[in-house]
Amino acid sequence: MVKILRIKDIVDTISLTHKFNKDMLIAINTSDVENGVMHEGTLTLVQDLKGQFKKTIKKSDILYSEIRPANRRFALVTKDDCSDYVVSTKLMVLRKKNKDVDLKYLYYCLTNQPFLDMLQRRAENRIGSFPQITFDLLSEYAFYIPL
């Protein structure tokens, strides 16, 4: 069986502020996620973190850049323990909420080149200083989902 579901019916965007209860955290910026790989990030003193580093993540979240979709800045979080990571607000943290949808299939849908090209065109048509997307824009797109 196949069903058409909008992205907002499959994932939530998560903006949980990280608990800054350690002296150092690993900062993940848009440059630390690329074409499906989450790189090591930068171990940083909490007091030295830039204001954009706020979000918390967990395993199986999808990190998805709001800026220039064509740059392929996305990754699936595969680390078991993410308590030492803090993520930039320039990355959407997408967390699956629909248990009937396979995470890897959804990830493929969000990261396939034709979809990224379409998002890039939408981002370039946006009024602003640089090509950017929002969860509100992303959330309305729909995919055929096998159930």
Side-chain angles (χ1 to χ4, degrees), residues 35-136:
N35 205 26
V37 176
M38 184 172 100
H39 299 292
E40 294 302 313
T42 305
L43 186 61
T44 308
L45 285 168
V46 168
Q47 65 195 29
D48 294 339
L49 284 170
K50 293 181 181 174
Q52 73 195 43
F53 292 98
K54 295 182 181 183
K55 294 182 179 182
T56 188
I57 58 172
K58 70 179 194 175
K59 185 175 183 175
S60 299
D61 284 344
I62 297 170
L63 302 181
Y64 206 80
S65 178
E66 296 179 357
I67 302 166
R68 295 181 182 88
N71 288 350
R72 302 184 60 83
R73 300 292 182 174
F74 53 79
L76 181 64
V77 177
T78 59
K79 304 215 180 283
D80 290 321
D81 181 9
C82 297
S83 62
D84 289 340
Y85 290 84
V86 63
V87 177
S88 168
T89 55
K90 298 299 180 194
L91 287 164
M92 286 184 238
V93 177
L94 305 177
R95 188 166 295 160
K96 190 177 86 143
K97 65 180 179 182
N98 187 323
K99 64 179 178 22
D100 296 328
V101 177
D102 181 76
L103 179 66
K104 289 183 181 177
Y105 180 80
L106 169 65
Y107 182 75
Y108 168 77
C109 290
L110 291 170
T111 61
N112 73 72
Q113 195 59 51
F115 186 68
L116 291 171
D117 291 344
M118 184 271 310
L119 283 180
Q120 181 67 30
R121 286 190 300 277
R122 289 292 305 268
E124 288 171 356
N125 289 332
R126 177 185 165 274
I127 297 172
S129 57
F130 51 87
Q132 184 174 4
I133 59 172
T134 63
F135 183 73
D136 286 342

Side-chain angles (χ1 to χ4, degrees), residues 133-144:
I133 59 172
T134 63
F135 183 73
D136 286 342
L137 173 101
L138 184 70
S139 70
E140 292 300 323
Y141 286 97
F143 297 113
Y144 288 98

